[in-house]
Amino acid sequence: MSQASAPHATDMLQQQARELVAIPALSDNPVMMLARSIGQQIDRGVLSIDALEEWVRQLRDRAFGHRACHIAAYVGGVDDAVIEGRMRDVARRIVQPDPNDSPVPIARFRAATERSRFAAVFTAHPTFALANPVYECLADMATHNPQQPPADIPAFLTHRRAAPPTLDEEFTLATQAILRGRNALDRLTRILLTEARTHWPQLWVTLIPRPVIMTSWVGYDTDGRTDIGWWDTLRLRLRMKHMQLTRLRGQIASVTSPPVNDLLERVTRAAEAVEAQIAACPDSPDPQAVADFAGILIGRRDEALTSSNELLPAFGEAIDAALPDDKMTLSIARAGFMAHGLSAAHTHVRLNSTQLHNVARQRLGITDNPDIHVQRRALIAQIDEALGTTQPIDIDFGSLLVEQSTAGRLMMTVRQILHHIDRTTPIRFLIAETETGYTLLTALWLARLLGVEDMIEISPLFETQEALEKGEHVIEEALRSPHWRAYLQRTRKLSLQFGFSDSGRYVGQLAATYLIERLRLKICDLLRQWDLAFVEVILFDTHGESIGRGAHPYSLAERFDYLSPPHARMRFLQAGIRLREETAFQGGDGYLLFGTQPLADATVSVIAEHAFAPTSIDEDPVYDEPDFSADFFSTIARGMTGLVEDPGYAALLGAFGPSLIDKTGSRPSARQSDAAAITTRIRHPSQLRAIPNNAILQQLAWCANTLQGLGTAATRHPDTFERYLNDSPRFRRALDFAAHALAHSCDGVLRGVIRLLDPDMWLQRATSQQDPKRQEACLTLMHGLERLDFWASTQSMFRRIQSDHLALRNAWPNAPRMEADEMLLHAIRIAVIEQIWMLSTKIPYFAPRNAFTRDVLTAKVLCLEIPGALKELEQIFPYRADRSFDLDFHEPHGPRDEGAYTREYTEIFEPMQRLFALVREISTGVMHHVGAFG
């Protein structure tokens, strides 16, 4: 739309917003009333698609600007003086915990700073919902306009991606964020060493701080992905090594002291060797290409370095002989290098438990099912016996080429990394869906078979309800094995991973975090019982940036305290067990917090503040009155599990929910069917992955996985609920999630969506129509919805949701509500969906083609599978003749039926395409309001 017409669009938008506010006095569903009004304006020709697109852009951009300000506030602001002050306060508190006492000895400072206390883990979860330039703009606005959006928000025709990201694109985006994070860590190191130099002017150069580290599994995660070959993992791991060496070379090159020349020359040679190894890396399992790669990887292994320790003597000599300023530069470079080894970030690999069980079945002949509890003791005895007799075997790249099992290939890949790329930095081995100690022992057996058991950190992922409720039994099953205990004694680490997305969508986000905290405390007690308090416990919280995936909505500092409450940290401290916390930054949304250098600096400063926060157990009713807490959160869990099993919930998610969102990663939103012409029905939420599941709920304006069951729980003990809300920091943080969910949920929108699926509504529309063609169109949609049969189950499900919602509003009357701008986006989208459906009824008759019939078309359109439907229609109603038909066929040129279906394209297909694009654009606007995807 032109600039001249923009004021007119603004005036019309303001009028619609006024109508939205006025409608509640006249109707119990203002959203549907407004959507109907918009639809009637479109029908009368008063409102064009151009005008609608301009409306949506304005609403989207307003939300975009406010989201940028929220990001800046979330990390505690981007003012450089504030960031510097936060880091300095951390350094001073380490040196002098009690301001009225003397500084601590350097040994205590060393102990506090030379162990990793916190890791930022970068994952490639599919949250790449915006085009890369839009993400860059969002981060830039958060950095340069942190208080209020700029007067002129950069104009993008669309915020959507042109296509889902490739693996290489995900890797590039992740490493950009990681390198900014590394720069921020260098800044923290400089401040720590500067403070140390003040107190220990002779000894500070012996310090190698590493309290916070960067970690990544981008390119190494094979759980649920089939597009990552072992050659991809090795290539990307080599690229991470090259980034580390190149970064180190740049740091050393800035030093003018002559003693650094030998160190610089050694790092340069290593970087050149790694570059040659990357160039030789194959892009497929071609035997000759793999053999050539093995020759260069192994032949130039020593030149490329295989241990960060090889450079320690040269660093020491250079620092001792350097000028004062150069000493600081080299000490910072050494600290970052030694903290991360031969990679820009530490390495996590991941697979699922079934893949491990498969390799044990293939190699050991263990065929019993670990899911059957009565067979588990025998299984554990078998794997324990195998652990007692297994000896390491030698492998080469030919072994990788012929290995059939996913788990076998992954462990072999880990072995090759540890032998040929970096032999001193441990690799985390994450196992999804762990529900038995047998899984952990199987991983240990496979690692022992390949000779890497002491260099991997085996980590179960607890994410299902059963795993969260019985996770301590999983650990205890493994502890009964002397081999597992010996493994912990040698590595002195127990790595645990907790999933917030899957657990939250099945038992409710608030109940999930309660179960996770309870499980951690049980594991703490378990380690004491087994005399393993000397083992450091690594707690990796795999959560996203949205409330549905475990991220506190208001601040990063609150997020860390929510994920790892002070009470739980203190319990570990009292037990004498050291903790290391790790938190995920998932995909595009997560990388935003490292989207510019000031944002990365701010994020790291908040991490450092949390990592060194003084720990104490304050009075909190949640812990002082455990009976209420247990009843409250278990009530939420029952409410959410009941909703998950409700057929109407799956129908709601699957009706047209997946079509509201773009594909934001390499994995499909739902499991695929071979029957391409037929719409795949979602019968249970488990058929959707967690992130699309949550994203659909956001787009349907009902954050069920945060809200369901809360109303029932609150009304069971209304007085206690109110007291906890006021007096308990732990409870208040949990209810912050609910407050944010309520601010972006609207029962009117949800009711409107369900009403769209009601055949009776379309029958009523048909009855009221004077135009026979429109009457027939409404009846066509009615019959299509009857065949899909969404209505009865979704209406029943809505009553379940609404009754709990009313209970919550009664118990918490001043809880937030959705604002007009966001509600208006939803109303526009409902009107647009109606228009798409009505347009589809104008498509002329056509004969069935490859199982694509009129009924199939109607089903696809009603489920908003518009791209697929239009692709089929392009074959049936060709618009442009094939250019090859213009060749000389040695006769006078005959007609080619150019433009035979011009009317269908201009009046039906193209408007449907534009309106569907608008549906998806509205989704980006809603996402900006919510603050994250999924």
Side-chain angles (χ1 to χ4, degrees), residues 202-319:
Q202 302 303 318
L203 297 175
W204 71 272
V205 292
T206 65
L207 296 167
I208 308 178
R210 63 185 83 185
V212 182
I213 57 174
M214 301 286 129
T215 301
S216 174
W217 79 30
V218 181
Y220 320 135
D221 172 22
T222 58
D223 175 31
R225 295 192 70 154
T226 58
D227 61 323
I228 300 178
W230 59 261
W231 50 90
D232 294 313
T233 295
L234 287 174
R235 182 182 67 255
L236 297 179
R237 180 59 183 82
L238 284 168
R239 286 177 62 185
M240 291 293 275
K241 182 175 182 177
H242 188 259
M243 286 179 203
Q244 172 77 316
L245 292 169
T246 303
R247 188 175 188 277
L248 180 63
R249 181 172 58 190
Q251 290 173 301
I252 297 170
S254 67
V255 172
T256 56
S257 302
V260 84
N261 292 338
D262 290 345
L263 180 61
L264 179 61
E265 192 272 336
R266 182 69 186 90
V267 172
T268 300
R269 280 195 293 114
E272 291 171 350
V274 174
E275 196 169 340
Q277 291 171 337
I278 294 169
C281 194
D283 57 9
S284 69
D286 174 70
Q288 186 58 57
V290 172
D292 294 343
F293 168 63
I296 294 177
L297 180 70
I298 297 167
R300 300 191 68 175
R301 176 177 56 192
D302 294 339
E303 187 182 353
L305 295 175
T306 58
S307 172
S308 53
N309 292 334
E310 295 176 44
L311 295 186
L312 263 181
F315 261 119
E317 293 171 6
I319 290 171

Side-chain angles (χ1 to χ4, degrees), residues 27-181:
S27 167
D28 65 344
N29 195 344
V31 176
M32 277 304 280
M33 289 284 289
L34 182 56
R36 193 76 195 101
S37 172
I38 293 170
Q40 289 168 348
Q41 292 177 62
I42 296 171
D43 292 340
R44 295 195 306 268
V46 175
L47 193 56
S48 66
I49 296 180
D50 285 347
L52 277 174
E53 289 170 339
E54 183 61 25
W55 282 13
V56 170
R57 277 195 289 270
Q58 289 193 27
L59 290 167
R60 178 202 69 189
D61 289 350
R62 284 212 291 260
F64 186 57
H66 290 299
R67 183 181 180 187
C69 294
H70 173 72
I71 290 168
Y74 194 77
V75 296
V78 290
D79 182 272
D80 195 68
V82 172
I83 295 168
E84 181 81 6
R86 193 179 293 134
M87 289 185 176
R88 289 191 182 281
D89 286 346
V90 168
R92 293 188 187 110
R93 191 162 59 245
I94 300 169
V95 170
Q96 199 169 356
D98 184 349
N100 298 317
D101 202 352
S102 302
V104 301
I106 190 172
R108 186 170 166 186
F109 183 88
R110 188 188 305 278
T113 60
E114 288 194 350
R115 80 172 181 90
S116 298
R117 310 167 74 95
F118 197 102
V121 185
F122 294 81
T123 78
H125 281 82
T127 68
F128 300 91
L130 301 175
N132 293 342
V134 178
Y135 272 126
E136 292 168 7
C137 177
L138 186 56
D140 189 67
M141 284 198 300
T143 302
H144 298 105
N145 302 91
Q147 302 298 325
Q148 61 182 24
D152 296 315
I153 290 176
F156 291 95
L157 189 63
T158 179
H159 281 189
R160 298 167 57 202
R161 301 187 69 87
T166 63
L167 176 62
D168 276 346
E169 188 179 0
E170 290 172 350
F171 179 80
T172 298
L173 294 170
T175 52
Q176 288 171 351
I178 287 167
L179 292 175
R180 293 188 196 102

Side-chain angles (χ1 to χ4, degrees), residues 28 33 39 202 204 213 303 395 649 653 693 826 865 924:
D28 65 344
M33 289 284 289
Q202 302 303 318
W204 71 272
I213 57 174
E303 187 182 353
I395 67 161
Y649 187 56
L653 289 169
N693 179 107
H826 285 290
E865 297 178 8
T924 67

Side-chain angles (χ1 to χ4, degrees), residues 766 768-780 838:
S768 65
Q769 290 292 340
Q770 302 299 315
D771 183 346
K773 289 184 178 179
R774 291 187 65 82
Q775 185 179 82
E776 182 60 30
C778 292
L779 290 173
T780 299
M838 291 294 286

Side-chain angles (χ1 to χ4, degrees), residues 452-471:
V452 295
E453 63 179 303
D454 291 344
M455 288 303 295
I456 66 166
E457 299 164 348
I458 299 170
S459 176
L461 167 56
F462 298 119
E463 56 185 337
T464 64
Q465 183 174 4
E466 181 179 355
L468 293 179
E469 290 178 343
K470 301 176 182 178

Side-chain angles (χ1 to χ4, degrees), residues 711 714-715 718 721-722 725-726 735 742 805-817:
T715 53
F721 173 80
E722 186 173 359
L725 194 55
N726 294 325
L735 268 292
L742 287 168
H805 176 230
L806 291 174
L808 179 57
R809 288 289 180 189
N810 288 332
W812 194 9
N814 60 342
R817 296 180 184 272

Side-chain angles (χ1 to χ4, degrees), residues 7 9-19 55 62 824:
T10 302
D11 292 342
M12 292 183 72
L13 256 184
Q14 291 171 347
Q15 174 61 31
Q16 300 298 329
R18 285 193 292 271
E19 285 187 28
W55 282 13
R62 284 212 291 260
L824 186 51

